[in-house]
Amino acid sequence: MTIIEISSLRQPGVELFSTLTEAQLRNRMEPEKGIFIVESPKVIRVALDAGYQPVALLCEHRHIEGDAADIINRCGDIPVYTGERELLAELTGYTLTRGVLCAMRRPTPKSIEDVCRDARRIVVIDGVVDTTNIGAIFRSAAALGIDAVLLTPNSCDPLNRRAVRVSMGSVFLIPWTWIESDLQQLHSNGFKTVAMALTNNSIPLDSPILKQEERLAIIMGTEGDGLPVETIRQADYVVRIPMAHGVDSLNVAAASAVAFWELSK
């Protein structure tokens, strides 16, 4: 390992953790050069266990031989930038959770066929842009038996720093990739589609017919507008979660957890 003491906010190499935006880190023009940031020792360990490649570490002095010691040993010969807590907070723009950040190489995007080949229950995230909701959906998906996640291009990047943190590393535990808003891709991979939406012809989530389906793709819509009308029209099933006390809907993250629990059993 190479320990580098940060003496300036313009220290060469630390731009990964400071000046680069999420879009610049992602590098759509050259995906093979894309980077993402993982926050906290626990989540970094999950990423390393899943085979993600570290590029650089940023941590407080006290963590070099503390919470980050095993991580540093596992990461091999990469730069480890360090400094006092206040300086690192000024550098990144926020107080580090548990005092450790890791920049990691983005993996090559997987094909829909590879992600879905052995899956029986998947979720399609359509147009969800809130990072907290994305992280929560991934955490519920991993915990409640969903085999894969597909996201439309207008959804938030699962490797966004906050989404990764909220998911507690679940984005590294479940296969995922991108999909266009075209249900035919799901049908051609053998899935019946379930659009989670409130319509006049929607059926209850606990309808027995849903459990009889061998392969289901559960489609979750945006936080405000829900799913596009065309997506609902093309779906094999339109499904609602039964509500009480006149409540019409749940937040998309909460609704996904309920749907996953019921449909993955």
Side-chain angles (χ1 to χ4, degrees):
M1 66 179 172
T2 304
I3 304 295
I4 302 173
E5 181 75 26
I6 298 174
S7 57
S8 166
L9 298 182
R10 296 183 179 180
Q11 181 95 21
V14 300
E15 63 276 1
L16 289 174
F17 303 100
S18 59
T19 60
L20 296 184
T21 65
E22 289 282 351
Q24 289 170 325
L25 287 170
R26 188 171 173 181
N27 200 343
R28 288 179 181 270
M29 298 301 293
E30 298 180 90
E32 70 281 358
K33 295 182 180 179
I35 298 293
F36 67 98
I37 305 297
V38 184
E39 187 175 356
S40 92
K42 181 177 180 179
V43 180
I44 293 169
R45 291 185 189 103
V46 175
L48 291 173
D49 289 344
Y52 284 77
Q53 179 186 354
V55 174
L57 282 164
L58 178 73
C59 68
E60 298 173 27
H61 286 141
R62 62 194 179 97
H63 291 304
I64 291 177
E65 295 183 359
D67 284 352
D70 65 306
I71 294 171
I72 291 172
N73 289 333
R74 291 181 63 181
C75 286
D77 189 21
I78 64 171
V80 179
Y81 299 99
T82 189
E84 296 299 332
R85 183 179 181 85
E86 294 75 16
L87 177 62
L88 299 191
E90 187 178 355
L91 174 72
T92 61
Y94 52 88
T95 300
L96 274 62
T97 301
R98 300 294 299 276
V100 186
L101 294 179
C102 184
M104 290 189 155
R105 186 75 61 196
R106 280 182 171 271
T108 302
K110 297 178 181 177
S111 69
I112 294 173
E113 289 72 22
D114 285 343
V115 167
C116 295
R117 182 171 292 113
D118 299 319
R120 295 183 62 251
R121 295 291 186 266
I122 67 173
V123 59
V124 179
I125 301 174
D126 189 334
V128 176
V129 298
D130 183 85
T131 55
T132 299
N133 283 336
I134 290 291
I137 292 171
F138 265 85
R139 190 171 183 180
S140 294
L144 299 174
I146 298 300
D147 301 311
V149 179
L150 304 179
L151 304 98
T152 59
N154 59 338
S155 295
C156 170
D157 174 22
L159 296 182
N160 172 283
R161 180 183 62 86
R162 181 169 175 79
V164 170
R165 188 181 73 188
V166 172
S167 81
M168 291 300 293
S170 295
V171 295
F172 309 126
L173 301 178
I174 185 167
W176 64 271
T177 195
W178 302 97
I179 184 173
E180 297 297 329
S181 300
D182 180 6
L183 298 191
Q184 184 53 45
Q185 294 180 77
L186 299 170
H187 292 144
S188 63
N189 278 276
F191 288 93
K192 290 294 184 69
T193 51
V194 173
M196 299 297 298
L198 297 173
T199 67
N200 292 331
N201 65 336
S202 60
I203 63 175
L205 180 65
D206 58 358
S207 178
I209 191 173
L210 298 174
K211 292 189 176 64
Q212 295 172 11
E213 293 290 355
E214 183 67 22
R215 308 183 88 192
L216 281 179
I218 306 161
I219 309 174
M220 310 295 302
T222 65
E223 296 88 344
D225 298 330
L227 290 171
V229 173
E230 185 63 15
T231 297
I232 296 173
R233 188 187 67 79
Q234 292 180 1
D236 297 298
Y237 302 102
V238 183
V239 174
R240 69 180 184 277
I241 298 174
M243 300 283 177
H245 300 293
V247 176
D248 63 351
S249 64
L250 295 173
N251 163 274
V252 64
S256 69
V258 175
F260 299 162
W261 168 252
E262 182 64 34
L263 296 180
S264 66
K265 289 192 291 185

